Amino acid sequence: MHLSRSDVVLVTGGASGLGEATVRAVLAGEASAVIVDLPASRGAELADELGERVLFAPADVRDEDQVQAAVDAAAGLGTLRVAVNCAGVATPGRVIGKRGVLPLEAFRTVIDINLIGTFNVLRLAAAEMINNAPVDGDRGVVVMTASVAAFDGQIGQAAYAASKGGIAALTLSAARDLADKAIRVMTIAPGVMETPMMAGLPGETRTTLEALVPHPARLGRPTEYAQLVDAIIANPLLNGEVIRLDGALRMPPR
């Protein structure tokens, strides 16, 4: 599907990392973008920097009304054609660790943001997209973000792996649900990427992570995630699948 000047791409977590790279890639083409991120993020600043084809819609992806307002803002800019879900957290914690049993609320929060938040955006964006006239056979495309942790969950990743595994499992079911609406659903499962989540790691840890990647032996770049989003939008046969973006990485237990 080719995006035109009238089309809009909504990106959650769009104020940093994978989401910001995706917003910048969208604006390199003809379409407009809506940055969806928390009010305390740099979303407003980034929107000002990037110009008139982008706006900031502050929202917590768990909140129905806030996400609906973001979808409405996208529809006000043009035709909401693509939604990309990059919002997420990676709060660590063993099932039973040095401080005892993992608090249920800590597990629930990660599931709520990563999995339920993603589904919230998926359903509300799709509800808007069904009104679109098809372009190249598609009314819209939804891209979700899982992680290699969905398949290679490490020690201390119980909540994160479960949330990302849920997104991976959701992909085919959602694609089948929306097939008769001509809306495609795809998921990207990144490996270790150069994102704000990784920024606080000491250099030694970063070097160890890079050595785990067979080729190229480095962290992935947010621009490479954005390139894959572009490819998914462009290729009409990509639907209902999870694509690992990881340089052949398979994570060890720790």
Side-chain angles (χ1 to χ4, degrees):
M1 178 172 61
H2 173 73
L3 297 180
S4 68
R5 287 184 178 276
S6 63
D7 292 326
V8 181
V9 179
L10 181 149
V11 184
T12 72
S16 65
L18 305 180
E20 179 179 346
T22 301
V23 169
R24 291 181 181 276
V26 168
L27 297 176
E30 296 183 338
S32 299
V34 173
I35 298 170
V36 180
D37 217 315
L38 294 172
S41 72
R42 57 184 290 268
E45 176 187 342
L46 183 61
D48 287 343
E49 173 194 331
L50 295 177
E52 62 181 17
R53 285 194 292 130
V54 58
L55 63 80
F56 174 51
D60 184 322
V61 292
R62 296 169 292 183
D63 188 290
E64 294 185 59
D65 292 339
Q66 291 177 14
V67 172
Q68 184 61 61
V71 168
D72 292 344
L77 265 185
T79 301
L80 176 58
R81 192 68 67 175
V82 179
V84 183
N85 292 273
C86 295
V89 295
T91 310
R94 295 190 183 206
V95 176
I96 302 177
K98 292 179 181 178
R99 298 182 180 179
V101 176
L102 181 69
L104 188 59
E105 189 57 33
F107 185 89
R108 180 181 287 118
T109 297
V110 176
I111 298 296
D112 280 350
I113 295 171
N114 292 0
L115 178 56
I116 295 176
T118 292
F119 180 73
N120 192 31
V121 174
L122 164 71
R123 70 190 185 96
L124 295 177
E128 176 64 31
M129 290 173 183
I130 61 174
N131 301 313
N132 297 345
V135 172
D136 301 328
D138 290 330
R139 286 193 170 88
V141 178
V142 178
V143 180
M144 305 187 293
T145 303
S147 166
V148 295
F151 315 104
D152 310 334
Q154 293 186 291
I155 290 169
Q157 285 189 328
Y160 185 66
S163 70
K164 296 301 188 176
I167 292 171
L170 172 62
T171 308
L172 181 58
S173 179
R176 287 172 165 173
D177 276 359
L178 296 172
D180 64 348
K181 312 294 191 297
I183 298 171
R184 293 189 285 122
V185 181
M186 286 288 293
T187 292
I188 299 172
V192 288
M193 307 290 286
E194 290 180 344
T195 66
M197 285 186 187
M198 306 295 290
L201 294 177
E204 188 175 304
T205 302
R206 178 186 174 115
T207 300
T208 300
L209 286 172
E210 290 175 336
L212 292 173
V213 185
H215 179 70
R218 58 169 173 79
L219 302 187
R221 297 167 183 146
T223 53
E224 292 166 333
Y225 174 95
Q227 286 171 1
L228 184 51
V229 171
D230 282 344
I232 289 169
I233 295 169
N235 192 322
L237 204 57
L238 287 175
N239 193 21
E241 185 56 273
V242 180
I243 301 175
R244 291 181 68 130
L245 183 68
D246 62 10
L249 170 68
R250 297 298 180 267
M251 297 296 285
R254 67 176 77 222

